[in-house]
Amino acid sequence: MLNNWVVMPTCLPLVLRRCHTCASESFRAGGKFRVNAHHKLIDAWLLVLCTSCGDTAKLTVLERVNVRSVRPEMLDRLHDNDLRLTAELLQDPVVQRRNRIALDWGDAWRLDTGGSDHLDYEVLDVSVRFAARIPARPVRLIAEGCGLSRAEGERLIAEGRVVAAVRLSGQLSGDFTFPVKR
């Protein structure tokens, strides 16, 4: 029987960037945008707040873009401070690279296994799906999903009881499947 596990975001991740005021390393995105027009050109920024001092920083979303090249739905979402747009833009590799930021997903996600009835099976086939690009260690997902400690999860992998087509030692943010033999 195939069990579907989903790695789901619970809130927006922290933005890792140095604060110019207090030298803190993290910012919290509140979902507020600032849009500024210069005749036919438009700029848009995502505003983030320092977790230590509360200072505001701007992450560039659009820079000197012709207004007609921006979809009207996108402009509406920017003006409405759409929280889903904030989540999409934070995960966009272009926005991350342009603003030299990284994301800290530490406590911003959870694993939904659909209940604990699968814990009694001798052999368990699992499909892990990521609802967002959240980097997570497969060992942690296996341990948490099967109700084991992380050391027990690593032991299962070392003994060959958990085998996957992807590398289980690093971090993943893409879907994968694996069987667990207890």
Side-chain angles (χ1 to χ4, degrees):
M1 182 173 149
L2 183 68
N3 285 297
N4 294 308
W5 295 355
V6 181
V7 178
M8 304 176 65
T10 56
C11 61
L12 292 173
L14 290 177
V15 175
L16 299 179
R17 176 182 170 172
R18 186 180 167 102
C19 178
H20 296 293
T21 305
C22 71
S24 171
E25 296 289 330
S26 62
F27 285 80
R28 185 164 307 284
K32 301 285 185 199
F33 291 94
R34 175 157 185 236
V35 180
N36 195 9
H38 307 279
H39 302 288
K40 295 180 182 180
L41 302 177
I42 191 168
D43 293 319
W45 300 277
L46 172 61
L47 303 178
V48 292
L49 300 173
C50 177
T51 55
S52 293
C53 69
D55 192 40
T56 302
K58 298 187 294 187
L59 304 180
T60 303
V61 175
L62 300 173
E63 187 172 33
R64 303 288 183 199
V65 175
N66 192 315
V67 175
R68 291 183 184 208
S69 66
V70 180
R71 294 184 331 268
E73 312 86 55
M74 172 77 156
L75 281 175
D76 289 341
R77 292 175 75 186
L78 287 169
H79 287 296
D80 293 340
N81 293 320
D82 188 355
L83 201 55
R84 289 186 186 187
L85 179 61
T86 301
E88 292 170 17
L89 291 172
L90 282 176
Q91 294 180 50
D92 186 355
V94 174
V95 172
Q96 290 181 9
R97 201 171 27 257
R98 178 187 293 152
N99 293 288
R100 295 186 199 112
I101 62 169
L103 300 178
D104 178 10
W105 284 96
D107 295 325
W109 62 273
R110 68 180 174 86
L111 178 65
D112 182 16
T113 60
S116 60
D117 59 338
H118 64 276
L119 297 176
D120 299 334
Y121 295 135
E122 191 66 32
V123 176
L124 185 65
D125 287 320
V126 178
S127 171
V128 178
R129 187 177 63 82
F130 287 79
R133 279 192 302 267
I134 302 170
R137 296 188 181 282
V139 174
R140 179 177 175 188
L141 298 176
I142 293 166
E144 191 174 318
C146 293
L148 307 170
S149 69
R150 192 172 297 172
E152 289 175 280
E154 289 174 354
R155 184 180 50 78
L156 288 175
I157 293 170
E159 292 174 356
R161 294 186 188 181
V162 175
V163 180
V166 296
R167 198 177 91 232
L168 297 174
S169 59
Q171 287 189 342
L172 292 175
S173 59
D175 301 351
F176 66 100
T177 59
F178 62 91
V180 177
K181 299 173 191 157
R182 296 191 186 187

